[in-house]
Every structure is written in C-alpha cells, then in structure tokens.
C-alpha cells in the first residue's frame, strides 16, 4: 500500500506525515474552564489510545486553565500533546495568555472563523505569529459548516461569470462543486498566507472536513493532489452510534486505502452519558482492521446463527475483547508485539475449529445439540478441551499464558505475525514497524 508523500510535522513527541504511522487523535467535550474534568477526560482518551487530544479554548477563563490542565496531566504521568481549538477570538486568547500558548503543542485555526473583512487577515496573522513565537505547528482546519463566507461568495461570483465570459463551452460548476473547491482553496490559501508570514511547511497540517462521505472523498483526493502538507482526516458531524461509525469508516477507509491521511479523528456524537473514548477505539479498529497499524489484540468471533441458541459465546467474545483492551496499557510496555495477537471465539463446530486454527489462540464453543465441550487451539494445534462451568476463566488463563510465553522480552514466538501492509515510495517505512 503506497502512502501519499507528505511533509512531516512534529506535535510534541508525535510525528505526523512523512511516512509516520497514521496518528489517532480525539477531542474532549468537557468545559475547558473546568480543569479537573478536562484533565480527567484527556487522560481517559489518552489511556484509550489517543495520541493527540484537542481541547476547546473559547474564553479567557478557558485559556487561563490550559496550563493547569497541562500540569495536572503531567502529574498523572500523561504526556499526551494538547491541541487548542480556536475560533473567533483565538488571536486575543493566544496573545493575552502566553502560558496557554506555551502549554499547547499545536493550534487549530479555522480560517472561516477568524474574522470578517479587513480584520480577518490581521487576526489570522496574530495567531500564526504566536505559533512562530512559541515554535508550535498549526492545523488549518476548514469545516464546511463554517466555510469562509466571503471566499465562497467570491468563488460563486467568479463561477457565475465564467460561462458568460468564456462562452458556451465553459459550463459553470454546480453549487456543490464550487463549495468543494472553496474548501480546498480556503485551506491552501490560508496555508500560503501562513508560509508568507514565516511559518514553515513543517509546521502546517491541513484538514477540510465535510459531513458527506462522497464529498469528503472528492475534496481530500483533490487536496492530496495539489499539496504536500500533512493531512488530518475526519468526517465532521458524523453522527451517533452505528451511523457515525459507518459513515466515518466508509469515508476514511477509501482515502486511507489510497494512501491519503496522516492523522485521523472519528467525530462520534456520544450517547447521553456515553463514553467519549469510543471514538478512539473506533479509530484504532479502523486502522487495525485495514492492516495499517496494530493497537490491541483483535478477537475474531462468528455472528452466531440458529446453530447456537445461547448467548454464551457472545458473552465470552465480549469478555475476552474487553479483557485484552483493558490489559493493553500495561501489556504495551511488558509484552512488545502483543498487539498483533489474534484470538478467535467461535460459536459451533461448522467454522469454529478452522477459524480457531488461523488465530494464535482460538476456542470453538459447542453449538446446540453438540457435545458440551470446547476445544482450544494454540498456534493452530488443538491443545486442550474445556468443559464445565469455568470455560471462560480457563480460556482467559490460556490467553494470558500465551501472552507471557510469546511476548515477554527474549521470548521466541512460535508463530510469527503475518506481515502487515508495507509502504512504498521514497519516504516509505514499513508499517509493521509501527507500534
Ligand atoms: S460458526 Fe457455527 S454458530 Fe457461528 S455462525 Fe457459523 S455456523 Fe453459526
């Protein structure tokens, strides 16, 4: 799989672009003025695997809390780089709160929300100058919901005159086409303006987010073609639950498959009191199921059917997946490479043994009317048959032992991981080296 060549950007210790692994990021939904709650959510997102976390910086009080949020995180042993999300008053906040400007690792600037008329350029320049002064990268984050109205009006006018001026052969673009083009122009013109002010290309990331899957694909393909800036990928306003997950995955998978995208965010609307970390899990699973990165051992499970009428195998699959994910923060340090492990939990004898043999550790549970025994396969070989009331506990112990035996430092893994996608091109690195 070839990745688009992009200019590398460092955000704190995290590398974006230039062949680096696709970075997972997320955003808090706490009030930034509430430093304890925001620090806790940043911590939770980081523990879930978010490599960068963005926080809203919308008021002087919020800006004043940013350094304290950073201090709290440092005290919790969390070094995740914080990104400040600025709109409307970012120029004031960055110039009046130098400690905030320093504590952040990157600034997100929305060129559609920087200011109107003559003020726009000055206010944009103030933010870029802060980035230059404090040595920070910026994301020029265009969003179709806040697309620069003056730019859009200008491009609509130009489009209207196009047919009249150039004759019948020059067909004006549709309104949707102009909007998509305006998104790209907004990102590229703002980046050019930032460069002119002295911000190097190595400190610029661009995003152009829309909520339509096809629109997003079209815009990013074109953006990728026209520039070498690192690209932040995400479908905006993706929605809630399965709709948001499917829409984000559909859009981003197409682009990632084409090598486009250096960092991703899955913008899920959480259910009331829902877990914000779900967007991190979805982003990781998207990258891992595409073979782009590995984060956590994955559990293959069959969907179940009329051959298995109990929910036991579903419960076991869920239990094992949760167990593996919960162990990862500690396992990541202790058992290098464990994230590549594959576990199978299958519902009956039809596909159970076969799928289990393909996994590193697999169990084939008994279907309806089958003998109440569960053969376990390790590295493709049947090793034990479990039965009775403690199958779940015993299987979990087998998985844990497999991890210790195969992933402890110095352990010789009996069955090496299948190779993952390998990058090509002049800036290529092997994705399998990604951790
Ligand atoms: S493995 Fe068995 S229970 Fe699972 S879907 Fe296939 S036939 Fe049904």
């Amino acid at each position: 799989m070839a990745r688009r060549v992009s200019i590398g950007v460092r955000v704190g210790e995290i590398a974006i672009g230039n062949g680096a692994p696709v970075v997972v990021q997320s955003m808090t939904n706490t009030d930034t003025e509430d430093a304890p709650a925001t620090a806790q959510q940043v911590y939770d997102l980081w523990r879930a695997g978010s490599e960068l976390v963005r926080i809203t910086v919308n008021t002087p009080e919020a800006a004043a809390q940013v350094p304290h949020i950073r201090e709290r995180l440092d005290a919790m042993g969390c070094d995740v780089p914080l990104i400040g999300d600025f709109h409307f008053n970012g120029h004031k906040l960055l110039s009046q709160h130098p400690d905030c400007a320093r504590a952040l690792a990157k600034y997100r600037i929305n060129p559609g929300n920087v200011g109107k008329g003559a003020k726009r350029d000055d206010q944009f320049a103030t933010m870029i100058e802060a980035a230059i002064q404090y040595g920070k990268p910026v994301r020029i984050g265009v969003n179709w919901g806040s697309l620069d109205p003056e730019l859009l009006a200008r491009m609509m006018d130009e489009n209207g005159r196009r047919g009249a001026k150039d004759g019948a052969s020059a067909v004006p673009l549709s309104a949707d086409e102009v909007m998509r083009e305006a998104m790209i122009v907004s990102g590229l013109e703002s980046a050019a303006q930032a460069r002119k002010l002295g911000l190097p290309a190595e400190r610029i990331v661009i995003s152009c987010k829309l909520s339509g899957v096809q629109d997003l694909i079209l815009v990013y393909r074109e953006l990728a073609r026209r520039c070498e800036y690192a690209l932040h990928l995400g479908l905006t306003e993706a929605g809630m639950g399965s709709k948001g997950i499917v829409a984000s995955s559909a859009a981003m998978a197409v682009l990632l498959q084409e090598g486009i995208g250096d960092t991703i965010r899955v913008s899920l609307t959480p259910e009331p009191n829902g877990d914000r970390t779900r967007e991190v899990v979805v982003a990781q699973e998207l990258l891992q199921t595409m073979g782009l990165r590995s984060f956590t051992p994955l559990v293959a499970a069959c969907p179940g059917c009329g051959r298995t009428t109990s929910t036991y195998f579903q419960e076991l699959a869920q239990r094992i997946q949760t167990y593996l994910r919960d162990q990862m923060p500690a396992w990541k340090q202790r058992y290098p490479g464990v994230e590549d492990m594959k576990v199978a939990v299958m519902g009956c004898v039809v596909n159970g043994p076969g799928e289990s043999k393909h996994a590193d550790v697999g169990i084939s549970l008994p279907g309806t009317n089958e003998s109440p025994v569960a053969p376990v396969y390790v590295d493709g070989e049947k090793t034990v048959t479990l039965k009775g009331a403690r199958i779940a506990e015993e299987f979990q112990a087998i998985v844990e032992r497999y991890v210790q035996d195969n992933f402890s430092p110095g352990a010789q893994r009996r069955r090496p991981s299948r190779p993952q996608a390998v990058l090509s091109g002049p800036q290529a690195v092997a994705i399998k080296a990604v951790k």
Side-chain angles (χ1 to χ4, degrees):
M1 188 186 294
R3 292 267 301 279
R4 163 184 171 267
V5 173
S6 61
I7 299 166
V9 177
R10 282 203 89 79
V11 183
E13 293 301 307
I14 302 294
I16 297 178
N18 189 29
V22 180
V23 170
V24 170
Q25 60 174 288
S26 60
M27 185 174 183
T28 56
N29 62 355
T30 50
D31 181 352
T32 308
E33 293 179 24
D34 183 346
T38 301
Q40 184 59 52
Q41 195 176 70
V42 171
Y43 181 82
D44 293 343
L45 291 163
W46 173 70
R47 284 273 301 179
S50 188
E51 294 158 306
L52 301 170
V53 179
R54 183 160 43 116
I55 58 177
T56 299
V57 188
N58 55 338
T59 61
E61 291 75 17
Q65 290 303 319
V66 170
H68 301 305
I69 293 168
R70 181 71 269 167
E71 283 162 19
R72 282 174 179 271
L73 291 166
D74 291 342
M76 292 157 97
C78 170
D79 60 358
V80 70
L82 287 177
I83 302 167
D85 197 58
F86 294 97
H87 301 265
F88 311 115
N89 57 356
H91 58 292
K92 282 191 190 151
L93 298 178
L94 281 170
S95 45
Q96 292 170 7
H97 294 270
D99 288 346
C100 165
R102 264 189 289 269
L104 294 167
K106 180 172 150 219
Y107 312 148
R108 182 272 170 113
I109 303 174
N110 179 340
N113 284 345
V114 171
K116 290 195 172 67
K119 286 186 180 165
R120 192 246 172 228
D121 286 353
D122 285 349
Q123 293 175 180
F124 181 79
T126 302
M127 298 175 81
I128 297 299
E129 280 155 11
I132 294 168
Q133 181 182 351
Y134 296 106
K136 310 292 181 180
V138 303
R139 168 162 66 100
I140 309 283
V142 185
N143 190 301
W144 83 311
S146 49
L147 179 57
D148 183 345
E150 291 166 24
L151 172 71
L152 185 60
R154 185 188 91 203
M155 291 184 64
M156 285 289 186
D157 283 350
E158 284 168 7
N159 187 53
R161 286 197 297 272
R162 201 167 161 228
K165 187 165 129 248
D166 300 339
S169 59
V171 180
L173 303 175
S174 69
D176 281 352
E177 286 170 319
V178 176
M179 187 272 293
R180 289 196 294 267
E181 178 63 16
M183 299 275 304
I184 297 165
V185 169
S186 177
L188 294 180
E189 282 189 353
S190 299
Q193 209 177 339
R195 296 278 296 278
K196 223 166 145 191
L197 290 162
L199 192 71
E202 294 76 19
R203 287 217 230 122
I204 296 176
V205 177
I206 296 188
S207 66
C208 287
K209 296 194 183 180
L210 303 94
S211 61
V213 170
Q214 299 296 349
D215 285 329
L216 192 90
I217 293 169
L218 290 171
V219 163
Y220 270 88
R221 276 182 182 153
E222 190 57 19
L223 191 57
R225 195 181 67 76
R226 287 199 216 167
C227 73
E228 289 195 338
Y229 293 113
L231 297 182
H232 165 127
L233 212 58
L235 189 78
T236 192
E237 286 97 44
M240 196 177 261
S242 60
K243 187 267 170 187
I245 294 170
V246 170
S248 291
S249 303
M252 287 199 262
V254 169
L255 292 164
L256 289 167
Q257 187 67 19
E258 294 174 10
I260 298 169
D262 301 293
T263 174
I264 64 169
R265 183 199 172 198
V266 175
S267 301
L268 289 185
T269 309
E271 277 90 18
N273 301 317
D275 189 346
R276 187 67 167 179
T277 61
R278 194 170 185 209
E279 66 174 55
V280 178
V281 174
V282 172
Q284 288 189 333
E285 288 179 346
L286 172 61
L287 295 175
Q288 186 154 355
T289 52
M290 290 186 73
L292 288 168
R293 289 190 68 179
S294 293
F295 299 95
T296 249
L298 288 183
V299 175
C302 74
C305 68
R307 295 179 65 93
T308 175
T309 47
S310 90
T311 56
Y312 188 76
F313 92 94
Q314 295 159 278
E315 287 156 11
L316 181 60
Q318 187 181 39
R319 175 182 171 145
I320 294 292
Q321 183 71 78
T322 305
Y323 166 73
L324 294 170
R325 187 165 280 285
D326 288 349
Q327 303 310 308
M328 273 317 286
W331 280 6
K332 217 164 29 180
Q333 317 296 334
R334 210 178 306 151
Y335 303 120
V338 69
E339 60 276 8
D340 288 326
M341 185 173 79
K342 293 184 177 60
V343 177
V345 177
M346 299 294 289
C348 87
V349 77
V350 170
N351 291 324
E355 186 72 37
S356 298
K357 283 180 197 168
H358 288 303
D360 295 309
V361 186
I363 186 166
S364 177
L365 291 160
T368 311
N369 300 325
E370 290 178 17
S371 168
V373 294
V376 173
Y377 297 81
V378 174
D379 288 334
E381 306 285 338
K382 186 165 138 188
T383 54
V384 66
T385 298
L386 303 178
K387 56 183 153 196
R390 291 185 45 81
I391 288 180
E393 289 79 3
E394 288 169 16
F395 183 62
Q396 188 171 304
I398 290 170
V399 170
E400 195 166 348
R401 202 159 50 243
Y402 184 88
V403 171
Q404 288 165 2
D405 291 349
N406 287 271
F407 297 99
S408 294
Q412 193 65 42
R413 203 170 168 199
R414 281 203 292 145
R415 184 197 259 186
S417 307
R418 266 165 267 168
Q420 296 191 5
V422 175
L423 299 170
S424 62
Q427 314 260 355
V429 294
I431 296 177
K432 65 184 174 185
V434 171
K435 290 288 175 273

